[in-house]
Amino acid sequence: MNQLPNLLLTASAAGEKGLIKPLGHHELLLVLLELALLLFVARGLGELMRRIQLPPVVGELLAGVLLGPSVFGWILPNLQEHIFPKNQAQSDLLSVISWLGVLFLLVVTGLETDLNLIVRKGKTALLISLGGIIIPFGTGLGMGWYLPESFLANPGERLIFSLFIATAMSISAVPVLAKVLMDLKLIRRDIGQVALAAGMTDDTIGWILLSVVSGLASSGKFDFQTVFKSVGGAVLFLVIAFTVGRTVMAWVFRWVDNYIGGPTASLSALLVLALSAAAFTHNLGIEAALGAFVTGILAGQSPRFSREAGLTLELITSGFLAPIFFATAGLKVNLLQMLNPWTLVIGLVVLAVACFGKFAGAYIGSRVGGLSHWEGIAMGSGMNARGAMEIIVATIGVSLGVLNPSMYSIIVMVAIVTSLMAPPLLRWSLSHVSMSEEEAQRLEREELASRSFIKRIHRVLVPTQGGQNVRLAAQLVSHLAHQNPLEMTVLFAKSDKKPNRKSTAVVNNVQETTAEADIAAVVDEFHIPANAMLQTKVESGRNKAEVILKEACKGYDLIVMGASERQRSRGILFNMLVDRVVQEAPCATMVVKSNLSQATEPSNYHKIGHILVPTSGNEYSENAVEVASTIAAQTGAVVTLINVVNRTKQEYILFEEQTIDSVTEIARQIVHQQAEVGRGLGAEVKTAIVTGIPEVEILHFARKSQVDLIVMGSSVRTVSGRAFFGHRTDAILNKAPCPVAVITLSANPYC
């Protein structure tokens, strides 16, 4: 028994040898202090650069330069070395966070990469991109071959070094280019679109090149087998990503949306996929950055990926991780080395070769692609900016042992100087590029489309409890699906409230039968195009409204409901279920009320020949115009926009005739503008302006003109616990001689 304590002590000592020590107090203190200092200076200088119309990345890089050996280390060397010690373990802690910044930045860049834009501007963008890669790659390769050995990390691997320098010379900074174009309000111009498409193509090819060269650098040799492995690995990954990977990613985001929902889950799924893809490409021997970049591209194309999640990731990246990465990159720069005349000369040579190669390549590609002289100069000016992408390349070069500190400092200097050059050169060259009439018309159409309600609808939830109203609603949704490739979900909501035990089984059977019948009846009314998607769900919860609202929080853009055919309770607009959903919905809603007899066959509903839209020019009525026009474009119906100049008998005394004339003229302008929107959606649109009490005149017009459907836009308010659209809308809902669809925007956009 006396031996037991000794045995326990021995076992404890043996166990301690296998334990991994936690991060020490001093190490944690230092990394927290480093992060705080880097972030503070980087964001401060970045904001300063923004104020003087320069890319913030320049300020973030300069933050690292100031805190590194160039300034802080020169003025207070002991303090600088104490905060940023030359300790491998401490440096690795900062490197991990910095690498997360690289990967997250590339995911965000991928999210903003528009492959459709690249395809649309295909030939010209490809020629510019090829010119902007081939020529600087060639000049960079030649320069790398003849640079002095003192600038090589390993003089025995000059070919790999030269290939790496060539790749660094070929990269462009799409974020810098995009930022300048946005600042100049040129991003939607033809020249801006071509520049972005060329930049995205350039970056995509550049990352593939970088992955191949990184694979060669990792192997430490250049032979056919190594090249084949690197190129084959990159091609294999891209083929898998854009075939199987695209399908898998769409399925993942759909599953996350259906079973978890919300931007947090979507963001987590994206990061898991991005980090997994980065690990996969890294394991293939190509660069991890390629996996993150491609993941971002595919996620950006997925209709079920939450845009709010993308925005959140962008905020985290631009507000924390990216500044830390750029500042950390600047820490490695020692400008004191640039004071060496020989290093300064080589630095200027590298800068000149970088600018010449990129500018000449982009200009030649532009001219071959049919652009004008000034457009070619603009392309060269924009594509010459290296910015963040060059820093990433330089960081990878250091991590692979290809670049020594002097060459690293030179490449970072090139990134800073070319990023500073881009904005003024772009402003100067683009001021000479005029806009064609065709381009002006396209921009006007795009401006209208950017504000479009119907274009923002991608996912539609159709809750059903049976009845003709929801069947009519389903038919209307079918027409909308021909404008956008919609994903539609028919939901039957059940309540978990338990009846007495004896009747439980009977009630459950009845509910199951009812759910199947109601869903089938609604599905039968859908006539959707091949690119639309329809699914059905049966969900249960504490009450039906909560089930619907919970499902709506999974990224839906529109809830379409049929008003109950049952006698509504006193003080309730539709019924308690619909009223609550309309009031608490996290997205827009459309409620359909038929006002037709129960005997009317649903098959008659789709025969819509005339749609009436009351309009007052506000956002709600604009949405109604879009919905009505989209339906009309599919059914061949005529849309009439009616504006009622509100003038009761008492108001005749109060208003002068001149005032009435001016109000009527405003009404005429309103209906004219909204008629153009409707015609732009392919509908035949007529207008009518009448004077009187709005609800009376609208109902009178509907009866006289034998209107088949009234579509209205309205705000929703809560009055005494019920949904309230306003007395006029309520009156039209109750007394209309035809079906009425009321569209509202969310009063509660957060789940």
Side-chain angles (χ1 to χ4, degrees):
M1 292 293 293
N2 293 333
Q3 293 179 346
L4 183 59
N6 293 331
L7 289 172
L8 290 173
L9 287 172
T10 303
S12 176
E16 285 179 2
K17 292 180 181 179
L19 290 176
I20 298 174
K21 290 184 179 180
L23 188 64
H25 173 81
H26 183 66
E27 288 82 359
L28 179 59
L29 175 65
L30 277 183
V31 77
L32 292 175
L33 183 60
E34 288 168 351
L35 289 173
L37 192 57
L38 287 169
L39 185 61
F40 174 73
V41 179
R43 291 292 296 126
L45 289 179
E47 190 58 36
L48 177 63
M49 293 296 117
R50 191 193 307 276
R51 297 286 178 91
I52 59 175
Q53 303 297 308
L54 290 174
V57 65
V58 175
E60 292 165 0
L61 281 168
L62 289 176
V65 174
L66 290 176
L67 293 173
S70 304
V71 179
F72 189 22
W74 180 57
I75 298 172
L76 297 169
N78 292 333
L79 181 59
Q80 197 272 345
E81 190 168 343
H82 181 74
I83 297 175
F84 299 100
K86 294 178 180 178
N87 177 289
Q88 187 63 47
Q90 194 69 41
S91 177
D92 287 345
L93 289 173
L94 207 55
S95 293
V96 169
I97 299 170
S98 180
W99 266 104
L100 284 176
V102 174
L103 297 178
F104 281 30
L105 182 63
L106 287 168
V107 173
V108 171
T109 304
L111 287 172
E112 296 174 354
T113 299
D114 188 350
L115 289 184
N116 293 327
L117 173 62
I118 294 175
V119 172
R120 197 163 60 244
K121 300 294 180 182
K123 180 185 174 183
T124 305
L126 183 61
L127 287 170
I128 296 169
S129 178
L130 289 176
I133 286 178
I134 293 172
I135 293 179
F137 190 89
T139 55
L141 186 65
M143 179 180 65
W145 192 258
Y146 289 105
L147 280 175
E149 287 190 356
S150 59
F151 291 90
L152 276 68
N154 186 348
E157 296 179 355
R158 181 173 285 276
L159 179 56
I160 291 175
F161 170 80
S162 300
L163 287 170
F164 205 91
I165 294 298
T167 303
M169 297 298 101
S170 305
I171 291 288
S172 291
V174 174
V176 174
L177 177 60
K179 179 65 171 60
V180 175
L181 291 172
M182 283 189 284
D183 289 343
L184 297 176
K185 294 181 172 49
L186 294 170
I187 200 159
R188 298 309 305 173
R189 288 276 306 273
D190 285 350
I191 185 69
Q193 295 277 283
V194 173
L196 278 179
M200 290 171 185
T201 308
D202 191 305
D203 264 11
T204 305
I205 297 172
W207 284 117
I208 296 171
L209 278 174
L210 179 62
S211 296
V212 172
V213 174
S214 297
L216 296 174
S218 298
S219 67
K221 57 184 178 179
F222 186 90
D223 54 38
F224 179 77
Q225 184 178 354
T226 307
V227 172
F228 180 79
K229 181 182 176 183
S230 298
V231 175
V235 172
L236 174 66
F237 171 71
L238 291 172
V239 170
I240 292 173
F242 286 99
T243 53
V244 179
R246 189 195 300 270
T247 304
V248 169
M249 189 167 291
W251 179 86
V252 167
F253 285 123
R254 188 178 299 113
W255 186 91
V256 168
D257 229 359
N258 288 341
Y259 294 98
I260 304 175
T264 304
S266 191
L267 177 59
S268 298
L270 172 64
L271 295 181
V272 169
L273 290 167
L275 294 173
S276 300
F280 180 71
T281 53
H282 186 71
N283 190 53
L284 284 176
I286 54 180
E287 189 47 52
L290 181 65
F293 180 60
V294 171
T295 302
I297 292 176
L298 295 177
Q301 292 183 315
S302 173
R304 297 292 285 272
F305 174 67
S306 167
R307 305 304 158 203
E308 189 177 340
L311 179 60
T312 302
L313 179 62
E314 185 176 351
L315 291 173
I316 294 170
T317 303
S318 60
F320 174 55
L321 289 172
I324 293 295
F325 161 65
F326 292 126
T328 304
L331 276 178
K332 301 184 182 79
V333 176
N334 190 351
L335 292 181
L336 298 178
Q337 293 177 341
M338 300 295 291
L339 298 178
N340 181 306
W342 185 231
T343 304
L344 181 60
V345 168
I346 295 298
L348 292 175
V349 169
V350 173
L351 177 63
V353 170
C355 292
F356 170 78
K358 201 67 173 179
F359 189 92
Y363 180 82
I364 292 170
S366 300
R367 298 294 280 158
V368 173
L371 299 186
S372 68
H373 167 70
W374 284 108
E375 287 173 330
I377 291 177
M379 287 296 170
S381 303
M383 300 284 280
N384 187 46
R386 301 315 204 279
M389 302 299 106
E390 189 89 320
I391 304 302
I392 294 173
V393 173
T395 303
I396 292 169
V398 170
S399 68
L400 293 172
V402 177
L403 302 180
N404 65 11
S406 297
M407 200 65 214
Y408 175 84
S409 297
I410 288 172
I411 290 180
V412 172
M413 179 269 294
V414 169
I416 294 173
V417 173
T418 54
S419 296
L420 287 170
M421 290 168 59
L425 285 175
L426 267 173
R427 289 188 183 94
W428 170 67
S429 56
L430 287 172
S431 65
H432 294 83
V433 178
S434 58
M435 185 187 302
S436 67
E437 184 178 347
E438 181 183 352
E439 183 182 2
Q441 291 174 353
R442 177 183 65 81
L443 290 173
E444 185 178 356
R445 289 194 302 270
E446 288 184 358
E447 177 64 23
L448 290 173
S450 68
R451 301 195 304 265
S452 171
F453 170 75
I454 206 73
K455 298 286 186 184
R456 298 196 300 267
I457 304 299
H458 300 288
R459 296 191 67 203
V460 179
L461 179 64
V462 185
T464 178
Q465 295 294 308
Q468 294 180 4
N469 284 329
V470 73
R471 294 164 75 178
L472 171 58
Q475 290 193 3
L476 298 183
V477 172
S478 296
H479 299 314
L480 299 181
H482 286 80
Q483 178 68 33
N484 281 349
L486 298 180
E487 289 188 27
M488 295 155 288
T489 301
V490 178
L491 172 69
F492 186 90
K494 298 192 297 185
S495 173
D496 279 341
K497 283 186 178 179
K498 300 294 183 184
N500 61 65
R501 293 181 180 179
K502 293 182 180 180
S503 60
T504 298
V506 175
V507 170
N508 285 341
N509 288 334
V510 170
Q511 282 193 344
E512 292 298 330
T513 304
T514 303
E516 292 175 5
D518 287 348
I519 288 174
V522 173
V523 169
D524 285 344
E525 301 300 328
F526 279 99
H527 302 283
I528 57 177
N531 60 351
M533 184 182 297
L534 177 64
Q535 63 176 339
T536 62
K537 279 187 175 183
V538 178
E539 299 285 352
S540 59
R542 190 169 61 179
N543 61 63
K544 295 176 182 180
E546 289 188 6
V547 172
I548 295 170
L549 292 169
K550 181 180 178 182
E551 179 68 22
C553 283
K554 295 178 180 178
Y556 288 90
D557 305 302
L558 178 67
I559 304 172
V560 179
M561 304 184 73
S564 173
E565 281 84 5
R566 300 184 185 91
Q567 185 67 34
R568 60 181 183 164
S569 304
R570 183 177 178 82
I572 300 298
L573 180 59
F574 298 112
N575 63 27
M576 293 182 68
L577 172 64
V578 177
D579 274 29
R580 182 178 173 189
V581 171
V582 169
Q583 291 175 84
E584 300 181 20
C587 58
T589 61
M590 182 168 78
V591 182
V592 179
K593 189 170 185 291
S594 72
N595 294 318
L596 299 175
S597 68
Q598 293 287 318
T600 306
E601 289 296 324
S603 59
N604 292 331
Y605 286 154
H606 72 275
K607 296 178 181 178
I608 300 172
H610 192 180
I611 304 175
L612 181 64
V613 184
T615 177
S616 58
N618 60 25
E619 182 182 9
Y620 306 105
S621 59
E622 286 179 5
N623 296 343
V625 171
E626 289 190 35
V627 171
S629 300
T630 303
I631 294 169
Q634 299 304 318
T635 61
V638 174
V639 176
T640 298
L641 307 185
I642 184 170
N643 184 289
V644 182
V645 177
N646 189 5
R647 189 177 181 187
T648 61
K649 291 182 179 179
Q650 290 80 5
E651 288 171 329
Y652 274 94
I653 303 170
L654 299 175
F655 289 103
E656 297 178 2
E657 197 62 38
Q658 185 178 358
T659 305
I660 293 298
D661 290 343
S662 65
V663 172
T664 304
E665 179 57 32
I666 292 172
R668 188 173 289 108
Q669 292 176 13
I670 288 171
V671 295
H672 174 74
Q673 290 174 357
Q674 296 196 338
E676 289 303 311
V677 173
R679 292 179 186 121
L681 290 167
E684 180 185 347
V685 182
K686 297 180 179 180
T687 62
I689 299 172
V690 296
T691 303
I693 302 172
E695 61 270 32
V696 173
E697 296 301 328
I698 291 167
L699 290 169
H700 175 69
F701 188 96
R703 292 189 186 95
K704 182 182 70 173
S705 303
Q706 296 183 328
V707 168
D708 302 303
L709 175 67
I710 299 175
V711 180
M712 305 179 67
S714 178
S715 60
V716 60
R717 289 156 280 173
T718 301
V719 177
S720 302
R722 59 156 281 190
F724 180 63
F725 291 144
H727 295 296
R728 292 186 172 117
T729 303
D730 283 11
I732 294 168
L733 274 167
N734 292 327
K735 298 180 180 179
C738 61
V740 181
V742 182
I743 300 152
T744 69
L745 297 178
S746 173
N748 180 37
Y750 303 104
C751 292

